[in-house]
Amino acid sequence: SRAASMAPTGGAVIRDCPQCPEMVVVPAGRFVMGSTPTESAAAKVPADGAAREWPAHSVSIPKPFAIGRYEVTRAEYGAFVAATRRADVGDCLTWDRAGGKWQPVATASWRDPGFPQRENHPAVCLDLADSSAYVAWLSSITGQRYRLPTEAEWEHAARAGTTTPYYWGDSTDP
C-alpha cells in the first residue's frame, strides 16, 4: 500500500519505478466485513473458521490507498533479491499430492518451488519476513511509504464495492 495523500483518483494505475509493481488506487469507503452465522452455515464453513468471521461489522476506510494491482511477480521479487543480496531460506510449504497435505520442503524456495514458473508468475514460497523486507526495500528506493495492506484494506479492495456476501453475488456457487 502506498501513502494515502496521493493525487490520483480511485482506479488510477501508478508505478513508482521500473522494477516496482503496478499499483491501483482504491477509494475510501465503507463495507460490511465478516459474515453472519446463517451465511457461514450456507457456505458450509467449519465452526472454528466461521466463529472468526462473527460478528459481521461495518468497516470504514477513511482515506484512499494504493495496493498492488497483481501479485508480486518473480521478476519483481528477484530485483529485490539481487539488489539486497537477500538469502533464500528454503523450507517452502509445498503440496504433497501423494500424501494429500502441505509439507515443508527444505530444498524448495521462491526460485524453485517445485513446479515450473515464468518471470511474470506470482512469487511464491515467501513469508511475512520476506514480504516485509520487500516493501521496506520499495520504500527505500522510491521515497514512498510502502507497507502490507491491513485485512480490512485488502477485503475492501477485493470486494470492489460489492455489498453481497460474496463478490459474485448472494449464492455460494460462483
Side-chain angles (χ1 to χ4, degrees):
S1 178
R2 188 172 165 202
S5 61
M6 62 191 88
T9 59
V13 176
I14 56 178
R15 178 177 272 162
D16 291 326
C17 69
Q19 67 269 33
C20 291
E22 279 188 11
M23 310 285 281
V24 64
V25 177
V26 178
R30 296 181 65 85
F31 71 101
V32 175
M33 187 171 181
S35 60
T36 65
T38 303
E39 290 168 347
S40 295
K44 299 180 179 141
V45 176
D48 62 331
R52 290 191 298 264
E53 289 283 316
W54 304 335
H57 57 284
S58 181
V59 173
S60 177
I61 306 295
K63 296 178 181 177
F65 62 97
I67 193 167
R69 187 173 184 189
Y70 308 106
E71 291 87 351
V72 173
T73 67
R74 285 176 42 88
E76 291 162 345
Y77 189 76
F80 155 69
V81 170
T84 62
R85 296 185 177 95
R86 185 169 180 86
D88 293 341
V89 176
D91 242 6
C92 178
L93 209 55
T94 306
W95 182 252
D96 176 11
R97 288 185 185 170
K101 60 182 178 179
W102 292 97
Q103 295 277 77
V105 176
T107 57
S109 73
W110 74 272
R111 290 181 195 274
D112 183 10
F115 53 88
Q117 282 195 299
R118 293 190 207 122
E119 289 300 293
N120 64 339
H121 287 165
V124 297
C125 294
L126 306 178
D127 62 15
L128 180 58
D130 296 323
S131 301
S132 297
Y134 175 70
V135 296
W137 174 73
L138 288 173
S139 294
S140 74
I141 65 169
T142 64
Q144 299 293 332
R145 181 175 173 250
Y146 280 75
R147 62 177 174 78
L148 299 174
T150 66
E151 179 183 13
E153 287 169 337
W154 189 94
E155 185 166 337
H156 176 57
R159 293 182 74 67
T162 61
T163 57
T164 55
Y166 307 99
Y167 68 85
W168 60 81
D170 289 312
S171 170
T172 58
D173 181 10

